[in-house]
Amino acid sequence: MSQPKFEPSPEVLSGETADIYFAHTVEILRREGLNPVATMEVFPSRSGILCGMEEVKALLSKVLPEGNREVWALAEGERMESKEVILRITAPYQSYGLYETAIDGIIAHCSGWATAARECVEAAQGIPVISFGARHVHPLVAGLMDYAAIVGGCAGCSSVIGARLAGREPSGTMPHALILIMGDTVRATQAFDRHMPPHVPRISLVDTFKDEAEESVRVAQALGERLNSVRLDTPAERGRVTPELVKEVRARLDLAGFKHVKIFVSGGINPERIRTFIDSGAPVDGFGVGSYISGAPPIDCTADLHEIEGKPVAKRGRTPGITPNPRLKRIL
Amino acid sequence: MSQPKFEPSPEVLSGETADIYFAHTVEILRREGLNPVATMEVFPSRSGILCGMEEVKALLSKVLPEGNREVWALAEGERMESKEVILRITAPYQSYGLYETAIDGIIAHCSGWATAARECVEAAQGIPVISFGARHVHPLVAGLMDYAAIVGGCAGCSSVIGARLAGREPSGTMPHALILIMGDTVRATQAFDRHMPPHVPRISLVDTFKDEAEESVRVAQALGERLNSVRLDTPAERGRVTPELVKEVRARLDLAGFKHVKIFVSGGINPERIRTFIDSGAPVDGFGVGSYISGAPPIDCTADLHEIEGKPVAKRGRTPGITPNPRLKRIL
Amino acid sequence: MSQPKFEPSPEVLSGETADIYFAHTVEILRREGLNPVATMEVFPSRSGILCGMEEVKALLSKVLPEGNREVWALAEGERMESKEVILRITAPYQSYGLYETAIDGIIAHCSGWATAARECVEAAQGIPVISFGARHVHPLVAGLMDYAAIVGGCAGCSSVIGARLAGREPSGTMPHALILIMGDTVRATQAFDRHMPPHVPRISLVDTFKDEAEESVRVAQALGERLNSVRLDTPAERGRVTPELVKEVRARLDLAGFKHVKIFVSGGINPERIRTFIDSGAPVDGFGVGSYISGAPPIDCTADLHEIEGKPVAKRGRTPGITPNPRLKRIL
Amino acid sequence: MSQPKFEPSPEVLSGETADIYFAHTVEILRREGLNPVATMEVFPSRSGILCGMEEVKALLSKVLPEGNREVWALAEGERMESKEVILRITAPYQSYGLYETAIDGIIAHCSGWATAARECVEAAQGIPVISFGARHVHPLVAGLMDYAAIVGGCAGCSSVIGARLAGREPSGTMPHALILIMGDTVRATQAFDRHMPPHVPRISLVDTFKDEAEESVRVAQALGERLNSVRLDTPAERGRVTPELVKEVRARLDLAGFKHVKIFVSGGINPERIRTFIDSGAPVDGFGVGSYISGAPPIDCTADLHEIEGKPVAKRGRTPGITPNPRLKRIL
Amino acid sequence: MSQPKFEPSPEVLSGETADIYFAHTVEILRREGLNPVATMEVFPSRSGILCGMEEVKALLSKVLPEGNREVWALAEGERMESKEVILRITAPYQSYGLYETAIDGIIAHCSGWATAARECVEAAQGIPVISFGARHVHPLVAGLMDYAAIVGGCAGCSSVIGARLAGREPSGTMPHALILIMGDTVRATQAFDRHMPPHVPRISLVDTFKDEAEESVRVAQALGERLNSVRLDTPAERGRVTPELVKEVRARLDLAGFKHVKIFVSGGINPERIRTFIDSGAPVDGFGVGSYISGAPPIDCTADLHEIEGKPVAKRGRTPGITPNPRLKRIL
Amino acid sequence: MSQPKFEPSPEVLSGETADIYFAHTVEILRREGLNPVATMEVFPSRSGILCGMEEVKALLSKVLPEGNREVWALAEGERMESKEVILRITAPYQSYGLYETAIDGIIAHCSGWATAARECVEAAQGIPVISFGARHVHPLVAGLMDYAAIVGGCAGCSSVIGARLAGREPSGTMPHALILIMGDTVRATQAFDRHMPPHVPRISLVDTFKDEAEESVRVAQALGERLNSVRLDTPAERGRVTPELVKEVRARLDLAGFKHVKIFVSGGINPERIRTFIDSGAPVDGFGVGSYISGAPPIDCTADLHEIEGKPVAKRGRTPGITPNPRLKRIL
C-alpha cells in the first residue's frame, strides 16, 4: 500500500468541526494570557487496529509551532491495546487545544473500520476480503472507510476514492441494475466483456434472474476462458448464500469444464459467517464484506492533559504525569 | 429547526465516491446506447427516523433532467418502517445510476444517528438531550452527525458546524483541559464568567479535582446567581454519575441556597441509563449523549429497479413493479 | 372421516409382541388358579389428542369374555389431559393381562402422531395441512401414522394405506425423481397432465432445476387453467422456503395472469415455521408436514390395577380404587 | 447376535405403504416408455448407528432385476456420519421407484432406535442395558424397535418378538400386576420361583407395597441363594430411583448376607441419569431403559437420483454424479 | 403473641461486642471534650419485615439519658422498604455511639429471619407454617431466630426458648432417634402416647423404617382417634416429600377410615416448594420449615449521622439533614 | 491463634435452646427405662471449613459420662467434605440426646462463617483480609462470627470480643461518625493520633467529605511518617472503590512522597471483587470484608444414629452401621 496524502480540510482548521467549548477555552486562555506547554495523551477505549494517525500527523504538522513541539505515536495499522497511550503531544496548549475533537474523531472512526476489517481478514485465513460497504456510509467518508478497511488488511475495495487513497485498483463486478436493464445475465456479461478494458476482470453476478447454479454455467459457457469469476449474492429472501450452494456451483462448473472460474461470495458476510464457510470447506475464492466493516462502531478515544509546564497533572480518575509506553515513536 | 442548505460535493458529483461498478454500468449502457426511463425504489433494512433526504434531494435536483423526472419521498425526520419504500426515482437511468452509492450512504448514515438520538429523547421524557459525540466521528461528518441528532429530537449539539446546519446555537460547558490549566475549578469558572459573552450560559464542570458535591457548592458560592448549571461527568474510574449522586448534589445545592442551579449529566449516557435516572427520580435537568448517538450503526438501505420503460421488473427476491406507499410525497 | 376397520394381528393376539413378563404372569396365575376380576386404568403421561382407541377396542372386543366385561373410554380424537384416565377395563385378569404392552403401545404411538398433527393444524388457522411423513417411519406403521395425523386434523396424507384407513384420497404431487428423469419440470408436468386421471389435481413441484419463481411461471404458462398448484420445497442448501419467496411467487404468478394457481409449501415445516408464514402474511394455500408429525415422540401411557375383586388396590405412588372420570363412555 | 430373517410385507411390495406420487411416477414413466437405469443415493440427516439395512436388502433382493442391479451399502450396526451416503442403488428406475418411501422409513425409524440405545450403552460403561420400551410403541414395530436396540448395543429386550429377531432370550422380571394380585411381593416372588423354569432368572420387583430397602431384604430372606436380583423401579411420585437408594439397598442386602443379589434399576432412565449413577458410584448391575430408546426420533433419510443412464444429474441443492464413499460394500 | 422481655447482655453494654473503632471514637471525643447532640438514622439495605426493634428499644432505654433523648421507629413486625429510615435517635453522641454495631446487628439478623418466614407464610396461603430451623443456627440465637420467625407470621416453632420468647407452646413431633431406639414407628408412637401429657398433640413421624403410606395407616390403626397427625419428612435420598405422596397418603388414610388424621410436611421446604404443593392441590395441613428461615441472610442495616447540634450533616453519598418518614412513631 | 476457652451456656445445658421433641424423647426413654449406648454421626450438607468443634467438645466433655464415652472428630479449621462424617459420639443416649440441636447448630453456623472467610482469603492470595461484619449479626454471636472468620484464615477482626476469642488484637480505623463530629478528616485523624496509644496503627478513613485521592494526600501531609494507611470505603452512591481508584491514590501518594502509606479497601467486598482487584493489579494492602462472611449461610448438619448397643441401625435413606472415616481423631 502506497503512502496516502492527507490534507486537513478548512472546516477542521478553522475549528468549525470542533466542540464549541474548545473554542471557548482557547479564547479564555488567550485573554488570561495563559499558553503553557502542555502534554496531552490519547488512548482508545478498546483494543484494535490503529488507523487515522497519518491524517492526524498531517494536521499536527500544520498547526504545531515547529520549534516547540514533540509528538510521539504508534504507526498506522499497528495493533493498539485498550487504554494504551497511542499519541502524545507536547506543545503550547493554544496551538492544538482546538483540535482535540478532530484528533479523537479521526482515529476513532478510522480505527473502528480497520479493526472490523481485520476481524474479517483473520477469519478468512488468506482468502481475499474486499470492502463493499461504501453504500452504507456518508459519501464524505466512504473513501476513508475503504482506506481504513485496506489498512485493516482487505485486499481491495469498491469505491474509486478509497482505492485511490490506498493506492489500489477499485474492485467490483456489476450491479443488478445493469442485468435488469439488459434483461438477461448472459447478455449483460457479454456487454461488460465487450466494453470494459482488458485489465478489468470479468466477474458475473449470477443471482438476478435464475438460480445461481444454472446461471453460473450459462455465463461460463458464454464467456469461456475470459470469465474470471461468478459472484453469488443471493438475497435473504432466498436464504442467502450457503456453504452448500458454493460447493454445488463449484461442482457444476467443474463438471461443465470451467475449473478456472472463481467463486466470489457476498451478502451479509461477517467473521462468523466467513468461519462457517471456511469450516465447512466451501471453496470460496473471495469474500465481499459490506456493513460489518462500514457499520463498525468507532473506537472512542480520550485525550487527557498529563503535564503542564513540566508538572504532572491529571483530572480525578487519571494518574498524573507522563504514561510510559516504549512502543511510541517520535513522528514530529 | 431552520431549513439546512446542502451542496453536493465535487467528489460525489464526479462519481469518485461511488462503487466502481456503477461507473462501469453507466459506461457500458452508454456504449450500448441504452438509457431507459427506470424507476428505482429505496428501502431501509430496519425502522427508524429518516434523515438525509434533504441532502439527497439537493443531489437529485442537480443531476436529474428537469423535464423527465419524478421523485417521491418521505420527509426528513419522519418515522420509516422496516422495508418501507422511502424514496422512488423515475428518470433516465444514466442520469442517476452513478449516485446509488451516495444516496444509500447519505440516508443510511444520517438515519442511523437520528434514530439513536430519538431513542434517547424518548427515554428522557421531555428532559433536554444534547449531542456530545462530535469527538467520536471523523470531522468530515461531525456536523452531519450533530444535524441528524437534532433531526432525531436533540435540543442541541456541541459542534459549531452541526449547530449551524441545524440552525441552533452550539451547546457546551468547558473541557477538563481548561480547569487543569487554570489549576482550580472555581478559578476556571470565574475566568469563563469573566470572558464569555453574556448569552453563553455559565455551566461549570465539577468533577476535575474534587468530589462533585463539594465542588458544586464551591462554584455556586463563587458565581451565585450567574451560575446556570453544573455538569456531572464522573469518570468510570470513579463509578460514573449515579442517580444518588444527582440527588445528593441537588440536596446540597438546595441546602446551600442554590435552587436555581441546574444539573447536567454526561458520561456513557444511553437510553437505558437515562431510564434509570428517570425511574429513580433523580432531578436531572439535561443529558449529554456521546457515543450512543455518534457510534450508532447506519440503517443500511437498498435500492432496486422496479420498472424499466414502464414494464415491471425485479431481481429474484423482490416483487416486480411499483411498490405502493401512500405516505410518499412528490419532492421533484 | 369414515370409520376405519382394525383387525388385531396374529402376533399381538399370540402375545409375541408383549413384554415377556406378562406371559409369565398369566402363566403363574393360571398355575396358582387365580383369575380375579380386576380393573385396570390407563392414563397418558402428558396431554394431547387421543388416537388408537378404535384399534384397542377391536382388540379388547376379541379377547374379553363377553358376559364378564366392562370397558369405558374416551373417544378417538378427543383431547385428553395429562394423567387423566382414558381407558378403564374390568374383566377377569387372565383374559387381558397379556395385552397391556399392546394397549399402551397403540395409544402411545398413535396419540403422539395425532397430537403433533393437531399442533400444526392449530398453527395453520384453517389453511390445510397434509401429512407427508410416511418416508420417515417404518412402512408397517406408515398407514397408522397418516391415519393418526388425520385424526389430529390433517386434511390428507400422502400414503395410500393411510388415506384408505382414514377414508380419504391420498394427496401428492410428483417427486423430484420424475422431473430428473424427464429432464425438465415443464415436460414432467405435461406428462403428469397427460396420463393422470382428471380427478388428480395438477400440482407441479417447482424447485428441481430452476429458481422457483421462474419455474412457477413456466409451468403455469404450459398448463394454463389446468394447473392447480405449484409446490415449493426449496432444500436447506438453498435456504428453505421463506415467506418472502411465497409472496414473490404469488406476485409473479398474478402479474402473469395466473391468479388461480395455488401455492403449496413443504420442507422442514413445523408449527413455529407455520406461524412465521401466517404472521408475515405469506399467501400459502397448503402446508406439507413431514417429520414434525412422523417423528413426534409417543405419549407414554401407564396401566395400573386399581381394583381386584371389588377391593381397592394400588401400588405405591398411586391411589387405590377407581379414579372417577365423568368424561368416559362405555364402549364394551 | 444371529442373523435375522426379514420378509417384505405384502403392503410394502404392493406399494400401499408408499407415498402416492411414487405410484403416479412409475405409472407415468411406464406410459411414457421410460425406464432408465438410474442411480439413487440415500443419506441420513444426522450421524448415528445404521439399522434397517438388512430389511432393506431383503426388499431390494426381491424387487430389483437380478441381472441388472448393483447395490452398495454400509452394514447393519455401523456408525454413519451426517449426510454420508449409506446406500447406493443402480437399476432400472421402474423396478425400485415405488420403494423409496419404504427404504427411507425402515432405515430412519430403526436407526433412530439403535442410535438412542448406543447412547445409553456408552453411558453405562459396560453395565448391561436392557430395552424395556415395547409398551411405548405400536405392537407392529415393537419387535423391530427391540431388535434395533440390540443392534445398538443393548444386552437384551423385554418383547418376545424383538428377542427372537435378535436371536436372544427375552428379559424381564414381573409386573406390578402380579404382585398386586398376589397381594404381597414375597408371595408373588415365591409363586414366580415355584412355576418358572430354572433358566429364567429370579428377579423380584421391590417397590409395589413397601419401601424398596425393606422389601429387598424380605425377598432375599425368602428366596435365599435362588434370588438373582431385585429391580428398583420407584415411581416419580416417590422420587424415582436415586443413587443413594441403590447404595443403601446394596448396604442393607450385604449386611443381611445377600452379597450375591444383583440390583437392577429402571424408571425414566436415560444417558444423563445413567451417568449420574455411574459418577456417584452407585453399584447398579443393570439398567432398564424404556422411552429414551423407544421414543427416539427417527433419523430422517433422503434419497436422491445422482445418475441417469450414466449421466450425472441432481436436483438443485445437490451435486450431480456419484458421491464417492470408500466405506460402502457391495451387497447385491 | 405476647410482649417479649428483652434484657441487654453485659457484653453488649460493656461494648465488647462492638467494633473496636467505636470504643476508640467515644474515647477520643471524651478526651477532646466533645459530646454533641447528634441524630443518627438507620436504614435497611433491602425491604422486608422489621424485627429486633423491641430488643433495640430495651437497650436504648437503658443507655440514653432520660431527659435528653428522642427515639422514633417503626414497630416490630411492620413491613419496611429498602433504604427507608426505620430508626432515628437524637441524643448526646457519647451515650449511644458505642452501640451502633449492636443496633445494626440486632435488626439485621432478626429482620432477615422474619422476612424469610413471611415469604413462607405468604406462599402457604393460610396453612400453618412452623419454624424448625433451631438446629441450623448457634444455640445463643436459636431462640431469637424462632421468635423472629413468629414475628414474621409462623404459627409456632420447635425450640423451647423461642416459643417462650414469643409466648407460644413449642411445636414438635418426635425425632428419628426415638423411633430407631424403640425399633418401630408404631411402638415409638405408642410410647409417646403413653407418657406425654394430654395437651401435647400426637404427631407421628412416618418415614423412618417403612414406606410413608404404609406406616401412616399402621400408626393410625394403632392410635385411632388419638392420633393427631402424621409427619412426612422423606429424605432427599428417597426423593423428598412430593405432592403426589401427600395425596396418596391422604387417600389411603381416608380409605382406612382416618379422615381426622392431619398431614404435616417437612424436609427442604421453601416458598417455591410450598407453592408447588399448593398449586398441585396436595392436602397439606402444615409445613415445617428449617434452613430457609434459619439460614436467611441478615438484612444489612446502615446507621448515619444526619444532624449534629441541629446542623444538617452527612458523609459523601448521603443527603444532609433529617430524612422525613411519616410512618415513624416516637418510642422513647 | 491461641486456644479459645468455651463455656456452655446455662440455656444450652438446660435444653431450653433445644427442639422440644428432644426433651420429649429423653423423657419418654427415661420412663420406658431405655438408655442404650448409641452411636451418633454428624455430617455437613456441603464441603467447607469446620468450625465450632472446640465449643462442641467443651459441651460434650461436660455432659457425657466420663467412663462410658468415646468421641471422634475432625479438628477446628480442617477442611470437611460434603457428607463426610465429622463427629462421632458413642455414649448412653440419654446423656447427649438433648444436645443434638445445639451440636448441629454450633457447627453449622460457625462453619458457614469460616468457609466464607476462607473463600475471601484464598481469593486475596496473601493480602490480609479483616472481618468487618460484626454489625450485620446479632451481638450474641458477633464474637463467634469473628472467631470463625479467623479460623477461616482472616488476619483479624473488628469486634473486641471476637479478637479476644481468637487471641488477637482487634483491628479498626475510625468510623464516619468521628469525622462528621470533628468536621474534617484531617482534624479527626489528628485527634486520633493525639489520643490513641502508640501501638494502635494510624489508619485514616478518607471518603467522608472529599474525593478519596485528594483526602489521602491531605492526611498524609498532616501525619507524615506516622500515617500507617488510608482506608477507601467509597459508598455505592459514588460507585464503590474501583481498581482504578486504588491505582490512582497509590500514584498520587507516591508522587507526593508517601510511599510508606498503605491502602486498605472496604465496602461490599467479596471473593469475586477481590479477584478483580488482584487481576487488575490494583496495589491493595488489605481488604475489609463485611456481609460476605457475616451473612454466609450456615452449613446445615445432620446427626444420625448408626449403632444402638453395638447393632447397626439407620433410618431409611442412610446406611446402617458406623461410617468409616480415617481422618477422625479421638477427642474424648
Side-chain angles (χ1 to χ4, degrees), chain F residues 7-121:
Chain F
E7 196 58 47
S9 79
E11 289 87 354
V12 168
L13 287 172
S14 70
E16 280 174 279
T17 67
D19 293 304
I20 180 73
Y21 44 81
F22 287 113
H24 288 168
T25 293
V26 171
E27 170 76 6
I28 292 165
L29 293 177
R30 201 169 289 144
R31 297 209 187 189
E32 293 281 325
L34 289 171
N35 192 14
V37 169
T39 297
M40 189 170 85
E41 294 183 346
V42 175
F43 64 86
S45 58
R46 52 186 172 93
S47 66
I49 300 303
L50 173 62
C51 186
M53 193 55 86
E54 286 297 320
E55 191 176 355
V56 166
K57 181 181 166 188
L59 170 61
L60 291 175
S61 72
K62 202 144 209 166
V63 300
L64 297 183
E66 233 169 293
N68 192 4
R69 71 187 188 194
E70 199 168 311
V71 181
W72 294 70
L74 292 186
E76 196 86 331
E78 278 197 278
R79 175 150 212 96
M80 58 187 183
E81 296 309 313
S82 174
K83 310 236 161 163
E84 178 181 22
V85 173
I86 57 174
L87 173 65
R88 185 190 298 128
I89 303 168
T90 304
Y93 182 76
Q94 288 190 21
S95 67
Y96 68 86
L98 192 55
Y99 305 111
E100 183 176 326
T101 311
I103 292 167
D104 280 0
I106 290 168
I107 297 175
H109 223 160
C110 295
S111 298
W113 290 316
T115 301
R118 176 65 54 91
E119 292 174 44
C120 296
V121 167

Side-chain angles (χ1 to χ4, degrees), chain F residues 1 4 20 43 49-50 62 70-71 76 128 134 153 159 169 207 210 230 245 250 254 266 288 298 326:
Chain F
M1 191 171 126
I20 180 73
F43 64 86
I49 300 303
L50 173 62
K62 202 144 209 166
E70 199 168 311
V71 181
E76 196 86 331
S159 77
E169 280 294 307
D207 64 317
K210 292 170 174 292
V230 293
L245 175 60
R250 182 74 275 156
D254 290 356
S266 61

Side-chain angles (χ1 to χ4, degrees), chain B residues 190-201:
Chain B
Q190 286 169 327
F192 188 97
D193 182 38
R194 206 151 45 233
H195 302 303
M196 287 293 104
H199 75 275
V200 177

Side-chain angles (χ1 to χ4, degrees), chain B residues 208-214 236-240 242 244-245 248-249 252, chain F residues 208-214 236-240 242 244-245 248-249 252:
Chain B
T208 308
F209 284 117
K210 291 167 173 293
D211 187 69
E212 297 82 351
E214 184 187 5
E237 291 87 349
R238 283 292 192 286
R240 293 241 178 259
T242 63
E244 291 81 9
L245 174 60
E248 183 190 339
V249 168
R252 292 191 187 262
Chain F
T208 308
F209 285 118
K210 292 170 174 292
D211 188 67
E212 297 82 350
E214 183 187 6
E237 292 86 349
R238 283 292 193 287
R240 292 240 180 262
T242 63
E244 291 81 9
L245 175 60
E248 182 189 341
V249 168
R252 292 193 187 260

Side-chain angles (χ1 to χ4, degrees), chain F residues 15-331:
Chain F
E16 280 174 279
T17 67
D19 293 304
I20 180 73
Y21 44 81
F22 287 113
H24 288 168
T25 293
V26 171
E27 170 76 6
I28 292 165
L29 293 177
R30 201 169 289 144
R31 297 209 187 189
E32 293 281 325
L34 289 171
N35 192 14
V37 169
T39 297
M40 189 170 85
E41 294 183 346
V42 175
F43 64 86
S45 58
R46 52 186 172 93
S47 66
I49 300 303
L50 173 62
C51 186
M53 193 55 86
E54 286 297 320
E55 191 176 355
V56 166
K57 181 181 166 188
L59 170 61
L60 291 175
S61 72
K62 202 144 209 166
V63 300
L64 297 183
E66 233 169 293
N68 192 4
R69 71 187 188 194
E70 199 168 311
V71 181
W72 294 70
L74 292 186
E76 196 86 331
E78 278 197 278
R79 175 150 212 96
M80 58 187 183
E81 296 309 313
S82 174
K83 310 236 161 163
E84 178 181 22
V85 173
I86 57 174
L87 173 65
R88 185 190 298 128
I89 303 168
T90 304
Y93 182 76
Q94 288 190 21
S95 67
Y96 68 86
L98 192 55
Y99 305 111
E100 183 176 326
T101 311
I103 292 167
D104 280 0
I106 290 168
I107 297 175
H109 223 160
C110 295
S111 298
W113 290 316
T115 301
R118 176 65 54 91
E119 292 174 44
C120 296
V121 167
E122 284 177 354
Q125 298 180 20
I127 297 171
V129 176
I130 309 294
S131 173
F132 264 21
R135 62 179 52 211
H136 301 314
V137 292
H138 197 280
L140 287 179
V141 291
L144 289 162
M145 186 276 295
D146 271 347
Y147 161 75
I150 289 171
V151 166
C154 280
C157 68
S158 61
S159 77
V160 178
I161 192 171
R164 186 182 321 135
L165 267 171
R168 300 276 167 95
E169 280 294 307
S171 300
T173 56
M174 61 185 68
H176 293 106
L178 175 65
I179 299 167
L180 284 165
I181 291 173
M182 299 297 298
D184 178 69
T185 302
V186 168
R187 240 177 310 134
T189 308
Q190 287 169 325
F192 188 96
D193 183 37
R194 204 150 46 232
H195 301 303
M196 287 293 104
H199 75 275
V200 177
R202 272 63 183 153
I203 305 175
S204 184
L205 178 60
V206 293
D207 64 317
T208 308
F209 285 118
K210 292 170 174 292
D211 188 67
E212 297 82 350
E214 183 187 6
E215 201 78 290
S216 294
V217 174
R218 284 182 73 230
V219 294
Q221 286 165 337
L223 260 70
E225 283 302 310
R226 286 194 316 285
L227 186 69
N228 178 286
S229 322
V230 293
R231 174 154 73 103
L232 309 176
D233 187 49
T234 316
E237 292 86 349
R238 283 292 193 287
R240 292 240 180 262
V241 181
T242 63
E244 291 81 9
L245 175 60
V246 179
K247 290 181 188 174
E248 182 189 341
V249 168
R250 182 74 275 156
R252 292 193 187 260
L253 283 171
D254 290 356
L255 215 62
F258 302 106
K259 300 206 174 187
H260 74 283
V261 175
K262 290 186 284 184
I263 300 174
F264 200 83
V265 168
S266 61
I269 301 298
N270 56 31
E272 193 186 329
R273 289 191 63 216
I274 290 177
R275 275 188 287 273
T276 304
F277 281 100
I278 301 274
D279 291 353
S280 64
V284 175
D285 296 298
F287 291 102
V289 178
S291 59
Y292 187 80
I293 295 173
S294 61
I299 298 183
D300 298 349
C301 289
T302 302
D304 280 325
L305 292 190
H306 276 261
E307 234 181 54
I308 294 177
E309 293 289 356
K311 243 191 58 191
V313 298
K315 60 175 249 191
R316 277 168 74 222
R318 304 289 146 71
T319 303
I322 302 295
T323 314
N325 184 3
R327 297 181 62 212
L328 297 176
K329 297 234 156 35
R330 183 157 181 186
I331 62 169

Side-chain angles (χ1 to χ4, degrees), chain C residues 50 298 309 332:
Chain C
L50 174 61
E309 293 290 355
L332 281 181

Side-chain angles (χ1 to χ4, degrees), chain E residues 7 32 34 67 105 127 130 140 160 175 189 194 204 214 233 240 251 254 256 262 276 282 287 294 297 299 322 331:
Chain E
E7 196 59 46
E32 293 281 325
L34 289 171
I127 297 172
I130 309 295
L140 288 179
V160 178
T189 308
R194 205 147 48 230
S204 184
E214 184 188 6
D233 186 49
R240 292 242 179 261
D254 290 358
K262 290 187 283 186
T276 304
F287 291 103
S294 61
I299 299 183
I322 302 294
I331 61 169

